[in-house]
Amino acid sequence: MLKLRWLCCTLFLLTGASVVAQTPAPLTWEQVRLRFELNSPTLLADKLNIDESRAQEITAFLRPNPQFTLTADGTQLAPDKGVWRPFAGTYETPGISYLHERQHKRELRLESAKKGTLIAESSHADLDRTLLFNLRGAFVSALQAKAVLQLAKDNLAYYDHVLDISRTRFNAGDIAQIDLDRLELQRVQYESDVQIAEVNLRTAKIQLLTLLNDRTPIERFDVVGPFDFNDRLMPRDELRKIALDTRPDLKAAVEAVDKAQTDHKLAVANGSTDPTWSAWYTHNSSNNNPFGVNTVGVSVAIPLRIFDRNQGEKLRTQLDIARNERLRDAAEAQVFSDVDSGYAMLNSNVILLRPYKAKYLQQSVRVRDTVFFSYQHGGASLLDFLNAQSDYRTVQLSYVSLLGSYLTAAAQLNLAVGREVIQ
C-alpha cells in the first residue's frame, strides 16, 4: 500500500513537472523584438534590397567588353575571261576593338552604387524603426490588457467578498432583501468587465502573434514586462541631438544628397569623349604588295561630340542635388517636430500619472474600504457604498489607461528619436 502511494505521488509530480516544462515562459520585450527581426517577412524582404544594391556595385564597376570581328573578302563569285578561281584572292581579317573609358567613369559608377547601398541600408533601418513602433504598440496593448484583466478579477473577487458579508448580514436580519438584490445585480457589471478584458487580451495577443509571424496557440503565448512609468525625462534638447545623430530617414536624406553630387560628377564624365581602339590581322591580302600576305592594322575611333555632350543629364543631376538638399532640410525639420510632439505627449502623461500614484490610488482604496466598513456597521447607506466602489473602479481603470498611454507615448518618442531612449 505504501509503495502504491509512493508510485502515485511520483507519477503526479512527474506529470506536473512535464506540464510546467511544456508551458513556455512569457516573452520579454527584448525576446519579442528578436523574434520579430528574425521572422518578419516584411523586414526580411526589404533586407534583400541591400543585397540587390551590393550586386549593382559589381555591375557598376565592370569594364566594357572588347569586341571581336572576323571579316572575309575577295572571294570570286563568277568566272571572268574563262578563269574561275573563287578562293585564290580570299583574305581573312580577324580584329579586336576596345572602348577606353576616360574621366574615371567606372570609379564614379562604383562610388554612386556604393552610396546607393548606404541609402538602402538607412531605408531598411528606417523601416525597422517604423515596424518596431507598431510591434511596441501591440506589446503595450497586451500588457495593458493583462493589467485590466487582473484589475477586473480583483474587483470581482472583492465584490464577491462584499456579497458574502452582505448575505450573512441579510440572514441575520441586518439588511433588507432589496439591498441584497441591488448588490447582487451590481455584480453583473464586474462579470462583464472580466469578459471584456479577456477578449481584449486575446485580441492583443492575436495582433502581436500576427506581427511576429508566429503560429503559437494563444493559450501558450504570453508576454511580460514592466507596466509602470518613470517620471524622470531627458532634456528635450538632448533628445533632439540624439535624433539628429540617429534617425535613419535623416541619414538616408543626407546620403541622397551625397549620391546626387556623385551622379552629377558622373554625368559630367559621361560628357567626355571615349576613344575606341581597334587592331586587326589580315591573311592572304589582295593588295598591290605581292609580299604582303600577312599584315596588321590599327585604328582609333574618336566620337565628335558636337551636339550631344550629355547636357540634359548634367542639368538634371544638378537640379537633383538641389532637390535632395531641400528634402534633407524637410527631413531635419520633421525630426524636430516628431521629437517635440513626442516629448510633449509623454510629459503630459507623466504630469497626469504623478498625482494618481502619489495620492489618488491610495485615496480610492481608503475611501472604498472606509465607506464599506461604515456601511457594514450601519453608518452609511447602500448608495454611498456603491458610489465609493464605482469611484474606486474608475480611478483604477483610469490609472491603467494612463499607464498604457504613457508607454505608447514613450514608444512614440523612441520612434521620433530613432532608438530606445525610454524602456
Side-chain angles (χ1 to χ4, degrees), residues 162-195:
V162 171
L163 286 177
D164 290 339
I165 295 176
S166 298
R167 291 189 185 99
T168 302
R169 292 181 61 194
F170 171 74
N171 294 330
D174 195 20
I175 61 174
Q177 178 69 52
I178 187 63
D179 289 342
L180 180 61
D181 291 341
R182 291 178 64 185
L183 286 170
E184 290 179 342
L185 286 174
Q186 195 69 20
R187 188 180 187 275
V188 69
Q189 181 178 7
Y190 298 97
E191 291 178 338
S192 177
D193 288 346
V194 172
Q195 291 301 316

PDB file of all heavy atoms in Angstrom, residues 162-195:
ATOM      1  N   VAL A 162     -17.747  41.132  -0.610  1.00  0.00           N
ATOM      2  CA  VAL A 162     -18.799  42.014  -0.113  1.00  0.00           C
ATOM      3  C   VAL A 162     -20.143  41.299  -0.112  1.00  0.00           C
ATOM      4  O   VAL A 162     -20.936  41.394   0.851  1.00  0.00           O
ATOM      5  CB  VAL A 162     -18.863  43.301  -0.963  1.00  0.00           C
ATOM      6  CG1 VAL A 162     -20.098  44.134  -0.600  1.00  0.00           C
ATOM      7  CG2 VAL A 162     -17.596  44.120  -0.781  1.00  0.00           C
ATOM      8  N   LEU A 163     -20.413  40.545  -1.158  1.00  0.00           N
ATOM      9  CA  LEU A 163     -21.679  39.813  -1.233  1.00  0.00           C
ATOM     10  C   LEU A 163     -21.767  38.748  -0.138  1.00  0.00           C
ATOM     11  O   LEU A 163     -22.847  38.540   0.447  1.00  0.00           O
ATOM     12  CB  LEU A 163     -21.829  39.161  -2.609  1.00  0.00           C
ATOM     13  CG  LEU A 163     -22.156  40.110  -3.772  1.00  0.00           C
ATOM     14  CD1 LEU A 163     -22.213  39.329  -5.082  1.00  0.00           C
ATOM     15  CD2 LEU A 163     -23.481  40.828  -3.525  1.00  0.00           C
ATOM     16  N   ASP A 164     -20.677  38.075   0.123  1.00  0.00           N
ATOM     17  CA  ASP A 164     -20.696  37.068   1.186  1.00  0.00           C
ATOM     18  C   ASP A 164     -21.042  37.709   2.531  1.00  0.00           C
ATOM     19  O   ASP A 164     -21.856  37.170   3.306  1.00  0.00           O
ATOM     20  CB  ASP A 164     -19.330  36.377   1.274  1.00  0.00           C
ATOM     21  CG  ASP A 164     -19.068  35.484   0.075  1.00  0.00           C
ATOM     22  OD1 ASP A 164     -20.057  35.094  -0.599  1.00  0.00           O
ATOM     23  OD2 ASP A 164     -17.884  35.185  -0.213  1.00  0.00           O
ATOM     24  N   ILE A 165     -20.411  38.844   2.801  1.00  0.00           N
ATOM     25  CA  ILE A 165     -20.708  39.542   4.059  1.00  0.00           C
ATOM     26  C   ILE A 165     -22.158  40.033   4.076  1.00  0.00           C
ATOM     27  O   ILE A 165     -22.868  39.943   5.098  1.00  0.00           O
ATOM     28  CB  ILE A 165     -19.733  40.707   4.260  1.00  0.00           C
ATOM     29  CG1 ILE A 165     -18.310  40.178   4.431  1.00  0.00           C
ATOM     30  CG2 ILE A 165     -20.135  41.570   5.453  1.00  0.00           C
ATOM     31  CD1 ILE A 165     -17.248  41.259   4.530  1.00  0.00           C
ATOM     32  N   SER A 166     -22.620  40.525   2.918  1.00  0.00           N
ATOM     33  CA  SER A 166     -23.989  41.044   2.855  1.00  0.00           C
ATOM     34  C   SER A 166     -25.013  39.929   3.037  1.00  0.00           C
ATOM     35  O   SER A 166     -26.064  40.129   3.667  1.00  0.00           O
ATOM     36  CB  SER A 166     -24.205  41.741   1.509  1.00  0.00           C
ATOM     37  OG  SER A 166     -23.326  42.845   1.383  1.00  0.00           O
ATOM     38  N   ARG A 167     -24.731  38.753   2.481  1.00  0.00           N
ATOM     39  CA  ARG A 167     -25.660  37.628   2.667  1.00  0.00           C
ATOM     40  C   ARG A 167     -25.704  37.230   4.142  1.00  0.00           C
ATOM     41  O   ARG A 167     -26.771  36.874   4.682  1.00  0.00           O
ATOM     42  CB  ARG A 167     -25.230  36.447   1.802  1.00  0.00           C
ATOM     43  CG  ARG A 167     -25.402  36.696   0.302  1.00  0.00           C
ATOM     44  CD  ARG A 167     -25.164  35.433  -0.505  1.00  0.00           C
ATOM     45  NE  ARG A 167     -25.211  35.685  -1.934  1.00  0.00           N
ATOM     46  CZ  ARG A 167     -24.153  35.841  -2.715  1.00  0.00           C
ATOM     47  NH1 ARG A 167     -22.936  35.739  -2.186  1.00  0.00           N
ATOM     48  NH2 ARG A 167     -24.282  36.083  -4.001  1.00  0.00           N
ATOM     49  N   THR A 168     -24.552  37.271   4.795  1.00  0.00           N
ATOM     50  CA  THR A 168     -24.524  36.960   6.225  1.00  0.00           C
ATOM     51  C   THR A 168     -25.342  37.980   7.005  1.00  0.00           C
ATOM     52  O   THR A 168     -26.117  37.623   7.924  1.00  0.00           O
ATOM     53  CB  THR A 168     -23.070  36.938   6.732  1.00  0.00           C
ATOM     54  OG1 THR A 168     -22.322  35.977   5.986  1.00  0.00           O
ATOM     55  CG2 THR A 168     -23.025  36.582   8.211  1.00  0.00           C
ATOM     56  N   ARG A 169     -25.202  39.249   6.649  1.00  0.00           N
ATOM     57  CA  ARG A 169     -25.978  40.291   7.321  1.00  0.00           C
ATOM     58  C   ARG A 169     -27.482  40.129   7.043  1.00  0.00           C
ATOM     59  O   ARG A 169     -28.318  40.348   7.913  1.00  0.00           O
ATOM     60  CB  ARG A 169     -25.517  41.671   6.854  1.00  0.00           C
ATOM     61  CG  ARG A 169     -24.110  42.037   7.296  1.00  0.00           C
ATOM     62  CD  ARG A 169     -23.746  43.436   6.809  1.00  0.00           C
ATOM     63  NE  ARG A 169     -24.667  44.428   7.365  1.00  0.00           N
ATOM     64  CZ  ARG A 169     -24.761  45.671   6.912  1.00  0.00           C
ATOM     65  NH1 ARG A 169     -24.032  46.060   5.883  1.00  0.00           N
ATOM     66  NH2 ARG A 169     -25.613  46.525   7.476  1.00  0.00           N
ATOM     67  N   PHE A 170     -27.798  39.713   5.803  1.00  0.00           N
ATOM     68  CA  PHE A 170     -29.211  39.517   5.465  1.00  0.00           C
ATOM     69  C   PHE A 170     -29.792  38.372   6.278  1.00  0.00           C
ATOM     70  O   PHE A 170     -30.933  38.459   6.797  1.00  0.00           O
ATOM     71  CB  PHE A 170     -29.354  39.239   3.971  1.00  0.00           C
ATOM     72  CG  PHE A 170     -30.733  38.815   3.566  1.00  0.00           C
ATOM     73  CD1 PHE A 170     -31.784  39.731   3.495  1.00  0.00           C
ATOM     74  CD2 PHE A 170     -31.003  37.477   3.278  1.00  0.00           C
ATOM     75  CE1 PHE A 170     -33.066  39.317   3.127  1.00  0.00           C
ATOM     76  CE2 PHE A 170     -32.276  37.065   2.918  1.00  0.00           C
ATOM     77  CZ  PHE A 170     -33.311  37.993   2.831  1.00  0.00           C
ATOM     78  N   ASN A 171     -29.055  37.282   6.385  1.00  0.00           N
ATOM     79  CA  ASN A 171     -29.538  36.141   7.178  1.00  0.00           C
ATOM     80  C   ASN A 171     -29.705  36.507   8.646  1.00  0.00           C
ATOM     81  O   ASN A 171     -30.553  35.939   9.340  1.00  0.00           O
ATOM     82  CB  ASN A 171     -28.575  34.955   7.040  1.00  0.00           C
ATOM     83  CG  ASN A 171     -28.559  34.400   5.624  1.00  0.00           C
ATOM     84  OD1 ASN A 171     -29.575  34.481   4.913  1.00  0.00           O
ATOM     85  ND2 ASN A 171     -27.430  33.829   5.209  1.00  0.00           N
ATOM     86  N   ALA A 172     -28.896  37.480   9.092  1.00  0.00           N
ATOM     87  CA  ALA A 172     -29.018  37.921  10.488  1.00  0.00           C
ATOM     88  C   ALA A 172     -30.083  38.995  10.657  1.00  0.00           C
ATOM     89  O   ALA A 172     -30.311  39.468  11.769  1.00  0.00           O
ATOM     90  CB  ALA A 172     -27.663  38.444  10.981  1.00  0.00           C
ATOM     91  N   GLY A 173     -30.713  39.412   9.522  1.00  0.00           N
ATOM     92  CA  GLY A 173     -31.751  40.418   9.594  1.00  0.00           C
ATOM     93  C   GLY A 173     -31.223  41.829   9.689  1.00  0.00           C
ATOM     94  O   GLY A 173     -31.934  42.747  10.093  1.00  0.00           O
ATOM     95  N   ASP A 174     -29.940  42.020   9.287  1.00  0.00           N
ATOM     96  CA  ASP A 174     -29.324  43.331   9.421  1.00  0.00           C
ATOM     97  C   ASP A 174     -29.605  44.236   8.228  1.00  0.00           C
ATOM     98  O   ASP A 174     -29.573  45.466   8.342  1.00  0.00           O
ATOM     99  CB  ASP A 174     -27.809  43.165   9.597  1.00  0.00           C
ATOM    100  CG  ASP A 174     -27.143  44.427  10.102  1.00  0.00           C
ATOM    101  OD1 ASP A 174     -27.845  45.278  10.662  1.00  0.00           O
ATOM    102  OD2 ASP A 174     -25.913  44.565   9.913  1.00  0.00           O
ATOM    103  N   ILE A 175     -29.855  43.636   7.025  1.00  0.00           N
ATOM    104  CA  ILE A 175     -30.184  44.432   5.843  1.00  0.00           C
ATOM    105  C   ILE A 175     -31.421  43.845   5.191  1.00  0.00           C
ATOM    106  O   ILE A 175     -31.785  42.682   5.428  1.00  0.00           O
ATOM    107  CB  ILE A 175     -29.025  44.451   4.822  1.00  0.00           C
ATOM    108  CG1 ILE A 175     -28.711  43.030   4.327  1.00  0.00           C
ATOM    109  CG2 ILE A 175     -27.784  45.121   5.397  1.00  0.00           C
ATOM    110  CD1 ILE A 175     -27.682  43.012   3.203  1.00  0.00           C
ATOM    111  N   ALA A 176     -32.047  44.653   4.353  1.00  0.00           N
ATOM    112  CA  ALA A 176     -33.288  44.231   3.702  1.00  0.00           C
ATOM    113  C   ALA A 176     -32.995  43.433   2.442  1.00  0.00           C
ATOM    114  O   ALA A 176     -31.891  43.462   1.892  1.00  0.00           O
ATOM    115  CB  ALA A 176     -34.138  45.462   3.370  1.00  0.00           C
ATOM    116  N   GLN A 177     -34.015  42.701   1.989  1.00  0.00           N
ATOM    117  CA  GLN A 177     -33.897  41.907   0.771  1.00  0.00           C
ATOM    118  C   GLN A 177     -33.590  42.790  -0.432  1.00  0.00           C
ATOM    119  O   GLN A 177     -32.796  42.417  -1.312  1.00  0.00           O
ATOM    120  CB  GLN A 177     -35.204  41.136   0.537  1.00  0.00           C
ATOM    121  CG  GLN A 177     -35.228  40.296  -0.735  1.00  0.00           C
ATOM    122  CD  GLN A 177     -34.289  39.104  -0.644  1.00  0.00           C
ATOM    123  OE1 GLN A 177     -34.350  38.334   0.319  1.00  0.00           O
ATOM    124  NE2 GLN A 177     -33.417  38.953  -1.642  1.00  0.00           N
ATOM    125  N   ILE A 178     -34.166  43.970  -0.484  1.00  0.00           N
ATOM    126  CA  ILE A 178     -33.955  44.855  -1.635  1.00  0.00           C
ATOM    127  C   ILE A 178     -32.507  45.310  -1.729  1.00  0.00           C
ATOM    128  O   ILE A 178     -31.944  45.430  -2.830  1.00  0.00           O
ATOM    129  CB  ILE A 178     -34.913  46.068  -1.546  1.00  0.00           C
ATOM    130  CG1 ILE A 178     -34.820  46.901  -2.825  1.00  0.00           C
ATOM    131  CG2 ILE A 178     -34.614  46.902  -0.296  1.00  0.00           C
ATOM    132  CD1 ILE A 178     -35.241  46.201  -4.065  1.00  0.00           C
ATOM    133  N   ASP A 179     -31.879  45.526  -0.570  1.00  0.00           N
ATOM    134  CA  ASP A 179     -30.473  45.923  -0.599  1.00  0.00           C
ATOM    135  C   ASP A 179     -29.596  44.787  -1.101  1.00  0.00           C
ATOM    136  O   ASP A 179     -28.644  45.006  -1.877  1.00  0.00           O
ATOM    137  CB  ASP A 179     -30.020  46.348   0.797  1.00  0.00           C
ATOM    138  CG  ASP A 179     -30.630  47.683   1.215  1.00  0.00           C
ATOM    139  OD1 ASP A 179     -31.094  48.417   0.313  1.00  0.00           O
ATOM    140  OD2 ASP A 179     -30.653  47.986   2.422  1.00  0.00           O
ATOM    141  N   LEU A 180     -29.898  43.561  -0.656  1.00  0.00           N
ATOM    142  CA  LEU A 180     -29.134  42.412  -1.130  1.00  0.00           C
ATOM    143  C   LEU A 180     -29.343  42.206  -2.624  1.00  0.00           C
ATOM    144  O   LEU A 180     -28.375  41.899  -3.361  1.00  0.00           O
ATOM    145  CB  LEU A 180     -29.544  41.152  -0.354  1.00  0.00           C
ATOM    146  CG  LEU A 180     -28.808  39.871  -0.750  1.00  0.00           C
ATOM    147  CD1 LEU A 180     -27.313  40.017  -0.505  1.00  0.00           C
ATOM    148  CD2 LEU A 180     -29.362  38.678   0.023  1.00  0.00           C
ATOM    149  N   ASP A 181     -30.565  42.386  -3.098  1.00  0.00           N
ATOM    150  CA  ASP A 181     -30.829  42.225  -4.531  1.00  0.00           C
ATOM    151  C   ASP A 181     -30.065  43.265  -5.344  1.00  0.00           C
ATOM    152  O   ASP A 181     -29.511  42.961  -6.415  1.00  0.00           O
ATOM    153  CB  ASP A 181     -32.325  42.349  -4.815  1.00  0.00           C
ATOM    154  CG  ASP A 181     -33.116  41.166  -4.253  1.00  0.00           C
ATOM    155  OD1 ASP A 181     -32.475  40.117  -3.979  1.00  0.00           O
ATOM    156  OD2 ASP A 181     -34.337  41.289  -4.078  1.00  0.00           O
ATOM    157  N   ARG A 182     -30.034  44.480  -4.870  1.00  0.00           N
ATOM    158  CA  ARG A 182     -29.308  45.529  -5.585  1.00  0.00           C
ATOM    159  C   ARG A 182     -27.807  45.225  -5.625  1.00  0.00           C
ATOM    160  O   ARG A 182     -27.135  45.459  -6.648  1.00  0.00           O
ATOM    161  CB  ARG A 182     -29.542  46.881  -4.923  1.00  0.00           C
ATOM    162  CG  ARG A 182     -30.975  47.393  -5.076  1.00  0.00           C
ATOM    163  CD  ARG A 182     -31.168  48.707  -4.351  1.00  0.00           C
ATOM    164  NE  ARG A 182     -30.341  49.767  -4.942  1.00  0.00           N
ATOM    165  CZ  ARG A 182     -30.249  50.992  -4.436  1.00  0.00           C
ATOM    166  NH1 ARG A 182     -30.906  51.301  -3.313  1.00  0.00           N
ATOM    167  NH2 ARG A 182     -29.490  51.900  -5.024  1.00  0.00           N
ATOM    168  N   LEU A 183     -27.274  44.688  -4.552  1.00  0.00           N
ATOM    169  CA  LEU A 183     -25.859  44.308  -4.548  1.00  0.00           C
ATOM    170  C   LEU A 183     -25.578  43.172  -5.531  1.00  0.00           C
ATOM    171  O   LEU A 183     -24.569  43.186  -6.253  1.00  0.00           O
ATOM    172  CB  LEU A 183     -25.433  43.896  -3.136  1.00  0.00           C
ATOM    173  CG  LEU A 183     -25.265  45.031  -2.120  1.00  0.00           C
ATOM    174  CD1 LEU A 183     -25.096  44.457  -0.711  1.00  0.00           C
ATOM    175  CD2 LEU A 183     -24.061  45.888  -2.491  1.00  0.00           C
ATOM    176  N   GLU A 184     -26.474  42.177  -5.545  1.00  0.00           N
ATOM    177  CA  GLU A 184     -26.268  41.049  -6.453  1.00  0.00           C
ATOM    178  C   GLU A 184     -26.429  41.463  -7.921  1.00  0.00           C
ATOM    179  O   GLU A 184     -25.732  40.949  -8.800  1.00  0.00           O
ATOM    180  CB  GLU A 184     -27.232  39.921  -6.099  1.00  0.00           C
ATOM    181  CG  GLU A 184     -26.887  39.241  -4.770  1.00  0.00           C
ATOM    182  CD  GLU A 184     -27.876  38.138  -4.415  1.00  0.00           C
ATOM    183  OE1 GLU A 184     -28.982  38.131  -5.002  1.00  0.00           O
ATOM    184  OE2 GLU A 184     -27.524  37.284  -3.571  1.00  0.00           O
ATOM    185  N   LEU A 185     -27.341  42.380  -8.188  1.00  0.00           N
ATOM    186  CA  LEU A 185     -27.493  42.870  -9.556  1.00  0.00           C
ATOM    187  C   LEU A 185     -26.250  43.642 -10.017  1.00  0.00           C
ATOM    188  O   LEU A 185     -25.894  43.605 -11.197  1.00  0.00           O
ATOM    189  CB  LEU A 185     -28.728  43.774  -9.667  1.00  0.00           C
ATOM    190  CG  LEU A 185     -30.089  43.077  -9.638  1.00  0.00           C
ATOM    191  CD1 LEU A 185     -31.215  44.102  -9.609  1.00  0.00           C
ATOM    192  CD2 LEU A 185     -30.248  42.170 -10.856  1.00  0.00           C
ATOM    193  N   GLN A 186     -25.595  44.298  -9.091  1.00  0.00           N
ATOM    194  CA  GLN A 186     -24.413  45.078  -9.444  1.00  0.00           C
ATOM    195  C   GLN A 186     -23.247  44.190  -9.862  1.00  0.00           C
ATOM    196  O   GLN A 186     -22.337  44.627 -10.567  1.00  0.00           O
ATOM    197  CB  GLN A 186     -24.000  45.936  -8.248  1.00  0.00           C
ATOM    198  CG  GLN A 186     -23.010  47.053  -8.568  1.00  0.00           C
ATOM    199  CD  GLN A 186     -23.621  48.156  -9.414  1.00  0.00           C
ATOM    200  OE1 GLN A 186     -24.837  48.303  -9.463  1.00  0.00           O
ATOM    201  NE2 GLN A 186     -22.762  48.900 -10.097  1.00  0.00           N
ATOM    202  N   ARG A 187     -23.304  42.916  -9.475  1.00  0.00           N
ATOM    203  CA  ARG A 187     -22.199  42.000  -9.787  1.00  0.00           C
ATOM    204  C   ARG A 187     -22.039  41.774 -11.283  1.00  0.00           C
ATOM    205  O   ARG A 187     -20.940  41.501 -11.775  1.00  0.00           O
ATOM    206  CB  ARG A 187     -22.426  40.656  -9.091  1.00  0.00           C
ATOM    207  CG  ARG A 187     -21.242  39.699  -9.201  1.00  0.00           C
ATOM    208  CD  ARG A 187     -21.530  38.381  -8.501  1.00  0.00           C
ATOM    209  NE  ARG A 187     -20.346  37.533  -8.452  1.00  0.00           N
ATOM    210  CZ  ARG A 187     -19.960  36.718  -9.437  1.00  0.00           C
ATOM    211  NH1 ARG A 187     -20.696  36.669 -10.559  1.00  0.00           N
ATOM    212  NH2 ARG A 187     -18.863  35.992  -9.327  1.00  0.00           N
ATOM    213  N   VAL A 188     -23.121  41.898 -12.039  1.00  0.00           N
ATOM    214  CA  VAL A 188     -23.050  41.638 -13.477  1.00  0.00           C
ATOM    215  C   VAL A 188     -22.083  42.600 -14.167  1.00  0.00           C
ATOM    216  O   VAL A 188     -21.445  42.255 -15.171  1.00  0.00           O
ATOM    217  CB  VAL A 188     -24.457  41.725 -14.108  1.00  0.00           C
ATOM    218  CG1 VAL A 188     -24.976  43.158 -14.112  1.00  0.00           C
ATOM    219  CG2 VAL A 188     -24.433  41.174 -15.530  1.00  0.00           C
ATOM    220  N   GLN A 189     -21.952  43.795 -13.620  1.00  0.00           N
ATOM    221  CA  GLN A 189     -21.016  44.758 -14.214  1.00  0.00           C
ATOM    222  C   GLN A 189     -19.578  44.270 -14.097  1.00  0.00           C
ATOM    223  O   GLN A 189     -18.789  44.390 -15.038  1.00  0.00           O
ATOM    224  CB  GLN A 189     -21.168  46.117 -13.526  1.00  0.00           C
ATOM    225  CG  GLN A 189     -20.258  47.192 -14.099  1.00  0.00           C
ATOM    226  CD  GLN A 189     -20.465  48.530 -13.434  1.00  0.00           C
ATOM    227  OE1 GLN A 189     -21.205  48.634 -12.461  1.00  0.00           O
ATOM    228  NE2 GLN A 189     -19.824  49.559 -13.952  1.00  0.00           N
ATOM    229  N   TYR A 190     -19.246  43.680 -12.953  1.00  0.00           N
ATOM    230  CA  TYR A 190     -17.886  43.185 -12.750  1.00  0.00           C
ATOM    231  C   TYR A 190     -17.638  41.906 -13.555  1.00  0.00           C
ATOM    232  O   TYR A 190     -16.523  41.693 -14.029  1.00  0.00           O
ATOM    233  CB  TYR A 190     -17.642  42.954 -11.261  1.00  0.00           C
ATOM    234  CG  TYR A 190     -17.747  44.236 -10.469  1.00  0.00           C
ATOM    235  CD1 TYR A 190     -18.935  44.583  -9.817  1.00  0.00           C
ATOM    236  CD2 TYR A 190     -16.679  45.113 -10.398  1.00  0.00           C
ATOM    237  CE1 TYR A 190     -19.030  45.774  -9.113  1.00  0.00           C
ATOM    238  CE2 TYR A 190     -16.767  46.302  -9.694  1.00  0.00           C
ATOM    239  CZ  TYR A 190     -17.957  46.621  -9.053  1.00  0.00           C
ATOM    240  OH  TYR A 190     -18.055  47.806  -8.360  1.00  0.00           O
ATOM    241  N   GLU A 191     -18.659  41.091 -13.711  1.00  0.00           N
ATOM    242  CA  GLU A 191     -18.527  39.928 -14.587  1.00  0.00           C
ATOM    243  C   GLU A 191     -18.291  40.363 -16.032  1.00  0.00           C
ATOM    244  O   GLU A 191     -17.476  39.779 -16.756  1.00  0.00           O
ATOM    245  CB  GLU A 191     -19.790  39.057 -14.503  1.00  0.00           C
ATOM    246  CG  GLU A 191     -19.982  38.343 -13.171  1.00  0.00           C
ATOM    247  CD  GLU A 191     -21.279  37.552 -13.149  1.00  0.00           C
ATOM    248  OE1 GLU A 191     -22.173  37.882 -13.949  1.00  0.00           O
ATOM    249  OE2 GLU A 191     -21.372  36.618 -12.338  1.00  0.00           O
ATOM    250  N   SER A 192     -19.022  41.387 -16.436  1.00  0.00           N
ATOM    251  CA  SER A 192     -18.844  41.917 -17.791  1.00  0.00           C
ATOM    252  C   SER A 192     -17.439  42.482 -17.984  1.00  0.00           C
ATOM    253  O   SER A 192     -16.834  42.287 -19.046  1.00  0.00           O
ATOM    254  CB  SER A 192     -19.893  42.999 -18.059  1.00  0.00           C
ATOM    255  OG  SER A 192     -19.719  43.573 -19.332  1.00  0.00           O
ATOM    256  N   ASP A 193     -16.932  43.149 -16.960  1.00  0.00           N
ATOM    257  CA  ASP A 193     -15.568  43.690 -17.049  1.00  0.00           C
ATOM    258  C   ASP A 193     -14.548  42.583 -17.278  1.00  0.00           C
ATOM    259  O   ASP A 193     -13.611  42.736 -18.077  1.00  0.00           O
ATOM    260  CB  ASP A 193     -15.224  44.449 -15.772  1.00  0.00           C
ATOM    261  CG  ASP A 193     -15.963  45.776 -15.672  1.00  0.00           C
ATOM    262  OD1 ASP A 193     -16.516  46.220 -16.696  1.00  0.00           O
ATOM    263  OD2 ASP A 193     -15.991  46.366 -14.570  1.00  0.00           O
ATOM    264  N   VAL A 194     -14.712  41.469 -16.604  1.00  0.00           N
ATOM    265  CA  VAL A 194     -13.780  40.348 -16.755  1.00  0.00           C
ATOM    266  C   VAL A 194     -13.850  39.775 -18.166  1.00  0.00           C
ATOM    267  O   VAL A 194     -12.819  39.529 -18.815  1.00  0.00           O
ATOM    268  CB  VAL A 194     -14.065  39.258 -15.703  1.00  0.00           C
ATOM    269  CG1 VAL A 194     -13.233  38.014 -15.989  1.00  0.00           C
ATOM    270  CG2 VAL A 194     -13.779  39.783 -14.300  1.00  0.00           C
ATOM    271  N   GLN A 195     -15.069  39.576 -18.675  1.00  0.00           N
ATOM    272  CA  GLN A 195     -15.215  39.009 -20.010  1.00  0.00           C
ATOM    273  C   GLN A 195     -14.647  39.942 -21.083  1.00  0.00           C
ATOM    274  O   GLN A 195     -13.948  39.502 -22.008  1.00  0.00           O
ATOM    275  CB  GLN A 195     -16.693  38.724 -20.290  1.00  0.00           C
ATOM    276  CG  GLN A 195     -17.285  37.599 -19.461  1.00  0.00           C
ATOM    277  CD  GLN A 195     -16.548  36.289 -19.676  1.00  0.00           C
ATOM    278  OE1 GLN A 195     -16.235  35.918 -20.805  1.00  0.00           O
ATOM    279  NE2 GLN A 195     -16.279  35.590 -18.585  1.00  0.00           N
TER     280      GLN A 195
END
